[in-house]
Amino acid sequence: MMPDLGKYAGAVLSSYAVALGLIVVLVALSIWRARRVKAALDLVEKRNKRHG
Amino acid sequence: MGRYVRFMSLWEYANPVKFIRTTDVVLPWVSVLAVLCLVVGLIWGFFFTPEDYRQGSTVKIIYLHVPAALMAINAWMMMLVASLIWIIRRHHVSALAARAAAPVGAVMTLIALATGALWGQPMWGTWWAWDPRLTSFLILFLFYLGYMALWSAIEDDDTAADLTSILCLVGSVFAVLSRYAVNFWNQGLHQGASLSLDKEENVADVFYFPLLVCIAGFVLLFIALVFLRTQTEIRARRTRALIAREQQG
Amino acid sequence: MMALLARDLKLAVRAGGGFGLGLAFFLIVTVLVPFGVGPETALLTRIAPGVLWIGALLACLLSLDRILALDWEDGTLDLLATAPLPMEGIVSVKALAHWITTGLPLVLAAPVLGVLLNLAPGGYLWVLVSLAVGTPALSVIGTFGAALTIGLKRGGLLLSLLVLPLYVPTLIFGAEVARRGAEGLEVATPLLLLGGISFGAMALLPFASAAVLRINLR
């Protein structure tokens, strides 16, 4: 299944690893921050509703 | 605290809410499509395309390098348009979308630079050459860094939006100037456009179609991330506004 | 406007105004470079124009936060904003004052420091000319950066991060004029482009700087 990358295997594989790694980190950070901020907002809104 | 009260007024409040509501519906679809395109395009490109007769298997890097480079520039364009909308229409979502896009653009620039260096090593025999395009991208990366740093340095939201918008406008002019200056300064090693309408210069069809799918994947990924991050910025700002109001009375 | 210019110049020359600091920095950079790259004369001759340009640029950068910060802190800027003078005029005068106190001394010092770096005989004139044409752009762009970061507590580093990418075109063309001049090549094209950037920046950037200042004074 794995194609024969010849003598450039290192360059090709590492660029895929670097690029996909960066994308995954970016997506993960975005989602993580989205969840955290959403939770914080829910908390504050609930508190606000209770108080009036 | 006047500005927070202004933020709560109906028009400005309704729009962010509408934005969140709309994107909540659209976001899952865009995300799924983005993942689909990326998976199909990258697998197609990685496993089922031949090697180039000159570049060998390194040609497979094109499926990451070219879409990332395109998005690096397009993200800045989008920020420029969003900044203009903010300056002219004072549309809060627009300013926040520009802020949300910047880190995505910066990461795309980084990917383009990293894959370019990895590609350049076997092809040009060096990791880094002061080639005009590489140099321009490095400068673009610096612009992204400055833009994000200015956003996070200013506490007042509206001031930050105003100042970063103007920086984005001025930066765009200077980015274009730098591009020409760098061209003047050093003729490069870089191959010509891979996607121009001029058929002669284009990459061959075998590489072209998976490349298009990958580009679509990157565009969709960018849209999904900007939607998500803009939602986050809106929520973060609303949280700050509510807390400020609590402390007020 | 003349009164404002005279006041700024007087303040800069007075003790504590930081006048001469940029020059000292320029001297230090020029002295440090041979320690870094070695005393070989041929090499120094080759890199001299570029080193002089980078030294001048960094010396200019060092003094940028002084353009507006003092007036911001003591409230002078608020007063100026209510004066009949348009904000664009104020920032232009500020940039001009910065150029006279920092840029002009650098221009005049560059040929002298060129001796230290063994600059080629033909290069003195062109280093002088390119800096004379280019440093006004550095001052104007720097004023824009200073206006952006004026309200920030730790603006110094951010100012450098914002301004340095904006300096790239000026540096490229300026150093190119100096290099070509030193090597006895034709300099008209980069010199015209450098002049274009300089005049363009002087004509247009004050509007951006003024807008930024108005936002910051809000």
Side-chain angles (χ1 to χ4, degrees), chain C residues 31-130:
Chain C
V31 171
L32 284 181
V33 166
F35 292 145
V37 302
E40 196 189 325
T41 13
L43 176 67
L44 286 178
T45 305
R46 228 172 89 73
I47 62 172
V51 170
L52 289 175
W53 250 92
I54 294 198
L57 187 143
L58 291 177
C60 197
L61 188 72
L62 194 71
S63 55
L64 286 182
D65 55 342
R66 291 177 176 279
I67 300 180
L68 296 165
L70 295 174
D71 285 349
W72 166 267
E73 277 161 16
D74 65 8
T76 315
L77 264 182
D78 294 282
L79 283 178
L80 285 175
T82 56
L85 210 58
M87 196 59 107
E88 284 79 5
I90 294 171
V91 290
S92 299
V93 169
K94 289 274 170 200
L96 179 61
H98 176 259
W99 183 72
I100 293 175
T101 54
T102 312
L104 198 56
L106 291 177
V107 175
L108 298 176
V112 182
L113 295 179
V115 178
L116 290 178
L117 292 174
N118 205 30
L119 185 66
Y124 290 93
L125 174 67
W126 292 113
V127 164
L128 195 71
V129 169
S130 65

Side-chain angles (χ1 to χ4, degrees), chain C residues 151-176:
Chain C
L152 302 173
K153 295 246 157 35
R154 298 171 304 279
L157 199 61
L158 181 62
L159 177 62
S160 316
L161 181 60
L162 293 178
V163 166
L164 280 179
L166 299 177
Y167 274 176
V168 169
T170 320
L171 174 64
I172 287 179
F173 289 127
E176 189 73 10

Side-chain angles (χ1 to χ4, degrees), chain B residues 90 139 142-143 145-147 149-150 153-154 156 158-159 162-164 166-167 170-171 174 177-178 180-182 184-185, chain C residues 141 144 148-149 152 158 161-162 165-166 168-169 172-173 176 180 189-190 193 197 201 205 208 211-212 215-216 218:
Chain B
R90 315 299 290 176
I139 297 170
L142 292 180
F143 272 112
L145 287 187
Y147 179 86
L150 187 63
I154 303 170
D156 182 277
D158 276 4
T159 308
D162 281 332
L163 295 186
T164 51
I166 295 176
L167 177 67
V170 174
F174 275 88
L177 274 179
S178 308
Y180 285 104
V182 164
F184 180 84
W185 165 75
Chain C
I141 297 169
F144 173 67
L148 272 177
T149 52
L152 302 173
L158 181 62
L161 181 60
L162 293 178
L166 299 177
V168 169
I172 287 179
F173 289 127
E176 189 73 10
R180 287 194 185 190
T189 321
L193 288 165
I197 287 181
L205 262 182
V212 164
I215 292 161
N216 268 326
R218 204 161 50 193

Side-chain angles (χ1 to χ4, degrees), chain A residues 7-43:
Chain A
K7 58 178 170 170
Y8 301 133
V12 177
L13 290 178
S14 49
S15 50
Y16 271 73
V18 168
L20 294 179
L22 280 172
I23 292 175
V24 167
V25 168
L26 175 69
V27 171
L29 278 179
S30 303
I31 293 176
W32 178 69
R33 181 150 179 264
R35 290 220 177 116
R36 225 184 34 166
V37 168
K38 200 173 177 184
L41 177 61
D42 286 346
L43 197 73

Side-chain angles (χ1 to χ4, degrees), chain B residues 59-76:
Chain B
V59 75
K60 294 183 193 304
I61 300 177
I62 202 175
Y63 306 113
L64 295 162
H65 182 69
V66 169
L70 270 177
M71 289 325 291
I73 295 168
N74 287 345
W76 187 272

